Amino acid sequence: QLATNLHNDYADWAKGADTDERVGQIRATQKGWLSPQDTASAATLNLVMALIVGFPMIPPGGDTIFWFVLLSSCFNAVAYTGGPYPLGYIGLGNVSIAYWGLGDVFCFLYFGLIAVLTIPYLVLRYQDVPGEEIFDMLKPLLLQALPASFLSTAIIVVNNLRDRHTDALAHKRTLAVRFGALFCKLEYSSLVLLSYLSALYSMVENSSRWYGLPFLTVLLAAKGMNAMWTLDGRDLNPFVGKTALLELSFCFLQCASMFFSRR
C-alpha cells in the first residue's frame, strides 16, 4: 500500500496528471517537498521491504498461489500508474493499470478478496490441509471478503470522479473519464449498496442478528452517497477519507459480528 501510494505520487507527476490545477489532496512530488527520485526510491524501498517480509511466509515446499499473490502485488504496486521508473528499465514503461481504466478492478481484487483471503489460506496451508479442502473451507469467507472489495473500490471511485477533468488532460483513461460522472455516481452507490446486501445475506444465511452490526454505519454511507450525487471537484476531498472510514467501520463491525455470532 505504501509503495503504491508513493509510486502514484511520482508517476502522476511524471505523466502530468498532478499539476497546479490538481483538485485532490496535496502530493509531495507535486509540491516539491520530495524530489521525483526521492519519491520513486521510497516506493522501491517499500517494495523491497514487502518482499523481505513476504518471502518467509511462503509455505515449506513452495506454493504457486502465494508466489503469484506476492509477486503480482509488487508488480501491480508499480504498474498501477506505471511510468519510466522502475518499469521503464525493463521495457515496460507504458504499463499502467490506472491509465488503462483498470484501477477499479485492481482495487476490487487486491484490496478486498486477496487481502482478506490470503491469510486464512496460508494458515490452512501451514496445517497441511489438502488443496481441494482449503478452497471448500474458504468459500464461506468469500462472502465476507466482498464488502472490503466493494468499499475499497468505492474509495477509488470518489478519487476518479473528483479528478476526471485533470485526468482527461493527462490521458489517464479512468472509468470516470471513459464513461462520465453519472457512471461514477451509479458505480459508487451500487458498491455501497452491495456491501449492505452482503451483510443482509449473511444475517439471513447464518440466522444471526449479529451479522447486522455493519448496518450501524448506514448513516455514514448515506452521507457519502449524497456527496457523490451533489458535490464535485475539491468538495469531494473529505469524502475520500470518509469512504475509507466507512470501509474501516463496516469491516470492524463485520469482524465483531462473526466473533459474537459464534459465542
Side-chain angles (χ1 to χ4, degrees), residues 10 13 28-29 32-41:
Y10 164 80
W13 172 85
T29 312
W33 297 339
L34 293 174
S35 71
Q37 183 177 0
D38 289 339
T39 312
S41 297

Side-chain angles (χ1 to χ4, degrees), residues 10-236:
Y10 164 80
D12 277 337
W13 172 85
K15 289 175 176 284
D18 283 352
T19 64
D20 291 338
E21 285 73 40
R22 174 178 168 81
V23 296
Q25 288 90 344
I26 293 173
R27 282 182 163 180
T29 312
Q30 171 206 5
K31 285 296 184 181
W33 297 339
L34 293 174
S35 71
Q37 183 177 0
D38 289 339
T39 312
S41 297
T44 304
L45 176 62
N46 276 276
L47 283 177
V48 171
M49 292 173 65
L51 288 170
I52 291 173
V53 172
F55 281 139
M57 297 173 66
I58 299 171
D63 185 276
T64 304
I65 293 177
F66 186 70
W67 267 111
F68 174 80
V69 169
L70 179 62
L71 296 179
S72 65
S73 295
C74 290
F75 175 82
N76 290 333
V78 178
Y80 184 80
T81 43
Y85 182 93
L87 289 180
Y89 294 155
I90 56 174
L92 295 175
N94 292 322
V95 172
S96 174
I97 294 170
Y99 281 73
W100 288 346
L102 299 176
D104 301 52
V105 177
F106 165 80
C107 286
F108 185 88
L109 292 175
Y110 281 85
F111 290 153
L113 297 180
I114 291 176
V116 173
L117 297 177
T118 297
I119 296 302
Y121 171 79
L122 284 175
V123 170
L124 294 172
R125 281 288 286 111
Y126 271 97
Q127 294 177 347
D128 295 323
V129 177
E132 291 185 2
E133 292 184 25
I134 288 178
F135 291 112
D136 287 337
M137 296 172 73
L138 289 179
K139 284 179 182 178
L141 291 178
L142 182 62
L143 179 65
Q144 305 304 323
L146 284 175
S149 287
F150 292 139
L151 295 174
S152 61
T153 306
I155 298 171
I156 298 301
V157 176
V158 183
N159 269 297
N160 290 346
L161 176 63
R162 179 199 64 198
D163 295 340
R164 67 190 185 281
H165 298 302
T166 51
D167 284 345
L169 294 174
H171 307 292
K172 188 176 183 179
R173 304 283 291 169
T174 64
L175 295 185
V177 173
R178 290 177 182 272
F179 303 117
L182 179 60
F183 175 88
C184 276
K185 295 172 182 180
L186 291 171
E187 182 186 10
Y188 183 93
S189 300
S190 298
L191 290 167
V192 172
L193 291 174
L194 284 169
S195 300
Y196 289 100
L197 284 176
S198 298
L200 180 62
Y201 180 85
S202 294
M203 189 166 57
V204 174
E205 180 71 13
N206 294 282
S207 301
S208 172
R209 293 180 180 178
W210 285 113
Y211 281 91
L213 281 177
F215 281 93
L216 293 174
T217 62
V218 163
L219 182 58
L220 187 59
K223 289 180 178 179
M225 285 194 286
N226 179 65
M228 286 292 287
W229 285 93
T230 58
L231 303 178
D232 202 0
R234 287 186 174 86
D235 292 334
L236 285 171

